[in-house]
Amino acid sequence: MSHILIVEDEAIIRTALRKLLERHRYKISEAGSVREATTKYRLADMDLIISDLRLPGAPGTDLLKLAGDVPVLIMTSYASLRSAVDSMRMGAADYIAKPFDHDEMLATVRRVIGKAEQNRAAGAAAADSKAEGRAISGMIGDSPVMRELYARIHKVAPTDATVLVHGETGTGKELVARAIHEESKRNGKPLISVNCAAIPETLIEAELFGHEKGAFTGAQTAREGLITAADGGTLFLDEIGELPLEAQARLLRVLQEGEVRPIGAIESRKVNVRLVAATHRNLRQLAAEHKFREDLYYRINVVQMTLPPLRERGKDILSIAEKLLEKFCAKVNRATLKLSPEAIQAVTTYTWPGNVRELENAIQRAVILTDDTTEIDHRTLDIDLDLVPIDEADPERRPRNSLREDPREDLSLEDYFARFVLEHQETMSETELAKKLGVSRKCLWERRQKLGIPRKKAKRLAEA
């Protein structure tokens, strides 16, 4: 039986509500004010608090700060959008207008209590999985996709399974390989990283497998290959899709037989390496087109991990930008700069086709070029997004319907857009906002400019 506390100063309404809820098997306690509620009862023991907005002494919204995780349903005779929005913004679970309809009240109570129970269950599950999804040294981000990646790394790293990392260029695939190596039993041995796309085809086999003296023109001495150098440790092959077919055949033998034969050698040498491979290409398609060995593809495709592009990582973008800002300011021995509101808008709106590498370059460039100021302007970032700063003194640039005016119940589409953005931009990324509104990120940015609600300036408007 759910326990509900009713806080209402009008005895007739309080009694009527108590009888209604008791008939539907709820346990009810009553109070006539916030003070009485907090002195007579332990709010944390309640499953729901239903409170009038206007009470003697202190408003019902004061209970939002005192109730902790207990949901608060606000009742108000002033059924305006402003009171509802203000209550919801302060943390109310829902609101209902007086005089209330009995069926509507019961449906709202059931919904709020049910949602609170779901949130508690989800919170417990999140706490259990938090250990699995704990962050990894050197990797920044707490978005759901990154927590899922961390959890997979923690599970796979202690094994010797071959890992194939998918991800766009510049997402930081080598960081994943390093994390896997450092959390494995091989962490006392070397991690050898090879970018297969950076070595000419004529040299890649000699680099990987080594060669004997005189094996080819220019081989004046014998040389150990990078695979042998990784013996006992981890070999990270970035852009493995660029590996020539001949080298792929040699690599397959290393993985299947655990031995490597240098170019020009007669005998093979035993090696014990763990392979972590990475690519931005579709290896399955390449194999179907006979551009990648199918047997090697199946051999390396034991555990797959996907490193998401920066544009899909929500608020991680800003966290990474601020960390990079701190790093590059320290490198040039200057006080840590901060991003201007327009720069924050640019960073969170831009799609970053070059991912973290492009963001890193933009931040480093901005730190070098910024003089005699504590802020980095969006123009200094010099990314391909033509942001125009909002001049709040220009009445033509202000929102068409200011929040200072009394809102109407019949909101226009632009009113709805402005209110939705202002109410959710502190808890949603630009990508999430755009998805909820059914528009593209570019369209969201253009609407912000048109309505005069740039990101990070919305808080001032809401408080006004």
Side-chain angles (χ1 to χ4, degrees):
M1 183 181 291
S2 297
H3 191 178
I4 299 174
L5 172 62
I6 301 172
V7 186
E8 168 62 69
D9 59 322
E10 295 186 40
I12 294 176
I13 295 177
R14 191 170 67 238
T15 302
L17 183 55
R18 174 176 56 79
K19 289 181 178 179
L20 170 66
L21 295 175
E22 283 180 340
R23 284 200 303 270
H24 289 81
R25 302 176 64 84
Y26 291 107
K27 180 182 177 183
I28 304 300
S29 295
E30 303 176 47
S33 65
V34 172
R35 182 183 179 85
E36 183 182 353
T38 54
T39 53
K40 281 182 69 174
Y41 306 105
R42 189 170 177 269
L43 300 186
D45 293 338
M46 304 296 168
D47 294 296
L48 173 66
I49 299 172
I50 303 176
S51 175
D52 190 14
L53 179 62
R54 297 179 179 270
L55 293 167
T61 48
D62 278 13
L63 289 166
L64 298 172
K65 294 175 282 188
L66 302 170
D69 294 331
V70 178
V72 179
L73 175 61
I74 293 292
M75 297 187 296
T76 174
S77 299
Y78 303 85
S80 68
L81 184 59
R82 170 168 297 276
S83 62
V85 168
D86 288 346
S87 299
M88 298 289 281
R89 183 181 291 120
M90 294 171 69
D94 209 334
Y95 85 102
I96 195 164
K98 294 191 298 184
F100 52 81
D101 176 80
H102 285 194
D103 291 338
E104 182 185 1
M105 173 63 79
L106 291 170
T108 303
V109 167
R110 281 195 294 268
R111 183 176 68 252
V112 172
I113 291 178
K115 186 175 181 181
E117 290 174 349
Q118 289 176 358
N119 289 341
R120 281 193 293 270
D128 292 339
S129 65
K130 192 171 183 180
E132 289 186 357
R134 65 187 184 278
I136 290 174
S137 177
M139 299 182 73
I140 303 168
D142 194 42
S143 58
V145 288
M146 291 305 291
R147 286 200 301 270
E148 185 178 335
L149 178 65
Y150 298 154
R152 178 159 284 207
I153 290 174
H154 295 316
K155 286 182 180 178
V156 174
T159 72
D160 269 340
T162 302
V163 178
L164 179 59
V165 184
H166 287 280
E168 294 180 7
T169 299
T171 49
K173 295 186 286 293
E174 187 169 354
L175 292 177
V176 175
R178 189 170 299 279
I180 291 171
H181 175 71
E182 290 179 352
E183 292 198 14
S184 74
K185 58 189 177 184
R186 298 172 178 267
N187 58 9
K189 297 292 183 177
L191 166 66
I192 302 296
S193 299
V194 184
N195 187 336
C196 299
I199 303 175
E201 282 192 25
T202 53
L203 298 178
I204 188 70
E205 288 189 67
E207 287 289 323
L208 285 177
F209 307 101
H211 59 80
E212 294 295 312
K213 179 179 178 180
F216 52 85
T217 303
Q220 299 178 356
T221 60
R223 181 175 177 182
E224 183 182 75
L226 295 173
I227 293 177
T228 304
D231 190 20
T234 305
L235 175 67
F236 173 55
L237 293 183
D238 195 9
E239 298 301 347
I240 193 172
E242 308 302 323
L243 202 61
L245 291 172
E246 295 81 1
Q248 291 179 29
R250 283 179 173 269
L251 178 61
L252 183 62
R253 181 172 180 80
V254 172
L255 298 177
Q256 289 180 339
E257 308 298 334
E259 57 185 34
V260 59
R261 189 173 70 179
I263 298 173
I266 298 175
E267 296 182 354
S268 299
R269 303 172 186 174
K270 284 292 184 182
V271 289
N272 177 15
V273 296
R274 180 192 192 167
L275 177 66
V276 177
T279 182
H280 73 284
R281 305 182 68 181
N282 186 334
L283 295 187
R284 182 187 291 274
Q285 182 178 340
L286 291 179
E289 296 171 356
H290 305 294
K291 296 178 181 178
F292 193 87
R293 290 186 64 103
E294 192 173 25
D295 47 4
L296 179 59
Y297 170 69
Y298 290 120
R299 186 64 183 78
I300 65 176
N301 189 30
V302 179
V303 177
Q304 282 198 32
M305 294 187 185
T306 300
L307 194 52
L310 197 53
R311 61 184 172 274
E312 294 179 6
R313 292 179 56 182
K315 293 183 179 180
D316 287 354
I317 298 175
L318 191 55
S319 300
I320 295 170
E322 290 171 343
K323 193 71 176 179
L324 291 171
L325 193 56
E326 183 181 331
K327 167 188 168 183
F328 288 121
C329 285
K331 271 192 172 183
V332 296
N333 296 316
R334 68 180 299 172
T336 301
L337 298 167
K338 63 179 182 179
L339 298 169
S340 70
E342 291 84 2
I344 291 174
Q345 185 187 358
V347 166
T348 55
T349 303
Y350 185 51
T351 56
W352 299 108
N355 292 296
V356 179
R357 187 178 294 124
E358 184 184 6
L359 174 60
E360 186 173 18
N361 293 340
I363 296 294
Q364 184 176 17
R365 177 173 59 246
V367 169
I368 294 170
L369 298 179
T370 299
D371 296 318
D372 303 324
T373 181
T374 59
E375 280 191 343
I376 288 179
D377 186 75
H378 68 278
R379 295 184 183 88
T380 315
L381 286 172
D382 193 26
I383 55 179
D384 295 330
L385 185 63
D386 186 20
L387 288 177
V388 180
I390 301 298
D391 182 2
E392 293 181 342
D394 182 358
E396 295 298 319
R397 302 298 300 265
R398 290 180 183 169
R400 191 167 296 178
N401 291 288
S402 171
L403 290 182
R404 295 180 178 85
E405 301 172 6
D406 288 332
R408 300 169 298 174
E409 293 295 328
D410 54 336
L411 294 177
S412 69
L413 285 176
E414 286 194 346
D415 292 329
Y416 175 79
F417 183 97
R419 292 190 181 283
F420 187 89
V421 170
L422 290 174
E423 290 168 30
H424 296 90
Q425 65 179 353
E426 296 299 322
T427 57
M428 288 185 181
S429 68
E430 290 295 275
T431 299
E432 291 168 335
L433 277 173
K435 186 174 181 181
K436 290 290 186 183
L437 289 165
V439 298
S440 66
R441 283 167 58 102
K442 180 181 178 183
C443 179
L444 173 59
W445 173 80
E446 289 172 345
R447 288 277 188 91
R448 280 184 178 279
Q449 298 297 308
K450 179 180 177 182
L451 298 174
I453 46 172
R455 194 167 180 86
K456 295 298 180 186
K457 290 191 178 183
K459 190 173 181 182
R460 287 205 303 272
L461 291 173
E463 290 174 349

